[in-house]
Amino acid sequence: RIPLSECGEELQKEFKALKRFLTVRRLGPQEGIIAAVTAKKYEDILRGALGWMCAHRNLNKSEVTLRDLFPNTDAESADAAFEYVTWLNDERQTSANYELLVTRSCVAAVKFLYGSQSKAQPGEGEAKPFHDLPIMKELRRMAKDAKSRSAKAPSVSDERLKWLEWDEYLTLVQRLKSECSSRTHLGQARSASAVAWSVQKYLIFGILSCVPDRQRTL
């Protein structure tokens, strides 16, 4: 992955514009916006793909841009993304879930680079937005394959070990509540920041004992 500090000026401008494209409402978009944290993850993935490209195709890290990864809208322009995913599978033994994330990141980059060339309009039949861009068809085919394999793949860990019994969880919440005291068990005064951290932790677990929600919401 190319460190952000080593990206060239043009690539840094592209990433800044990509984030805005993905997270800010604009006139006549074909699809809705995404969360900033998701856009940041896409950028990380794309810097990884560009780093791989520089290493395998002898490109200069300070000069490479997203258009080197996706030079045009032809179907053949998806070749680099396919080769990168294949390399991840062979060399890093990545999961189908990660492959799906990579392809979604590539789809986002192509929408940003070439979305203005699409003549497709949302709501016309069953066709997806940007369906008239050949490269988009190839990337979506890759994503569909990864999603299919992900659904069939066995879990890499024992899910049972990740969960507490309900009474154990409630006991934990009460323990965290007791730790919000302004004094330690030895009677020593705690700093305001230490108490605040304890209260924050208690509130997070306490809220989850009542209402399930996403981590980002908390």
Side-chain angles (χ1 to χ4, degrees):
R1 179 175 297 144
I2 302 177
L4 193 58
S5 60
E6 296 181 20
C7 293
E9 182 178 351
E10 184 63 28
L11 182 56
Q12 291 195 32
K13 288 181 180 179
E14 283 185 330
F15 281 139
K16 185 176 181 179
L18 173 63
K19 179 181 178 181
R20 180 174 179 79
F21 173 82
L22 294 173
T23 61
V24 177
R25 292 181 62 190
R26 57 194 181 277
L27 184 64
Q30 290 193 333
E31 292 182 308
I33 61 175
I34 63 174
V37 64
T38 305
K40 181 62 172 64
K41 187 63 179 178
Y42 285 178
E43 179 191 306
D44 292 343
I45 295 292
L46 292 168
R47 284 193 289 111
L50 289 169
W52 165 85
M53 176 173 275
C54 288
H56 288 78
R57 299 188 180 182
N58 297 318
L59 299 179
N60 191 323
K61 288 191 294 184
S62 63
E63 297 178 356
V64 71
T65 70
L66 290 175
R67 291 185 183 275
D68 290 307
L69 194 59
F70 308 106
N72 53 57
T73 61
D74 294 343
E76 292 76 14
S77 286
D79 287 349
F82 179 77
E83 290 180 28
Y84 178 54
V85 166
T86 301
W87 178 81
L88 286 173
N89 289 339
D90 294 343
E91 300 296 328
R92 302 293 175 85
Q93 287 78 52
T94 51
S95 66
N97 275 327
Y98 189 76
E99 181 180 334
L100 180 58
L101 180 59
V102 171
T103 53
R104 284 175 174 170
S105 302
C106 292
V107 166
V110 169
K111 290 177 184 178
F112 163 68
L113 292 172
Y114 303 111
S116 61
Q117 298 182 25
S118 172
K119 304 303 181 183
Q121 295 297 323
E124 291 185 355
E126 297 299 324
K128 292 184 177 181
F130 308 100
H131 69 89
D132 53 344
L133 302 180
I135 184 175
M136 193 65 74
K137 294 180 180 180
E138 294 300 321
L139 291 175
R140 281 174 170 158
R141 188 176 293 116
M142 290 170 53
K144 183 178 180 180
D145 176 64
K147 186 175 183 179
S148 175
R149 285 185 286 106
S150 174
K152 299 176 183 178
S155 176
V156 296
S157 61
D158 188 344
E159 291 291 330
R160 293 173 299 176
L161 300 179
K162 298 181 179 181
W163 297 90
L164 295 174
E165 294 295 332
W166 185 238
D167 59 339
E168 293 177 313
Y169 185 83
L170 294 180
T171 299
L172 169 64
V173 173
Q174 291 302 313
R175 174 60 182 270
L176 292 175
K177 183 179 181 180
S178 70
E179 293 179 358
C180 295
S181 173
S182 60
R183 294 185 177 275
T184 69
H185 67 288
L186 298 176
Q188 298 172 334
R190 301 174 67 204
S191 67
S193 61
V195 174
W197 281 113
S198 296
V199 171
Q200 182 188 62
K201 186 183 299 183
Y202 161 64
L203 288 174
I204 289 175
F205 282 80
I207 290 171
L208 287 175
S209 71
C210 305
V211 182
D213 213 330
R214 292 185 177 186
Q215 178 176 314
R216 71 177 61 165
T217 305
L218 294 170

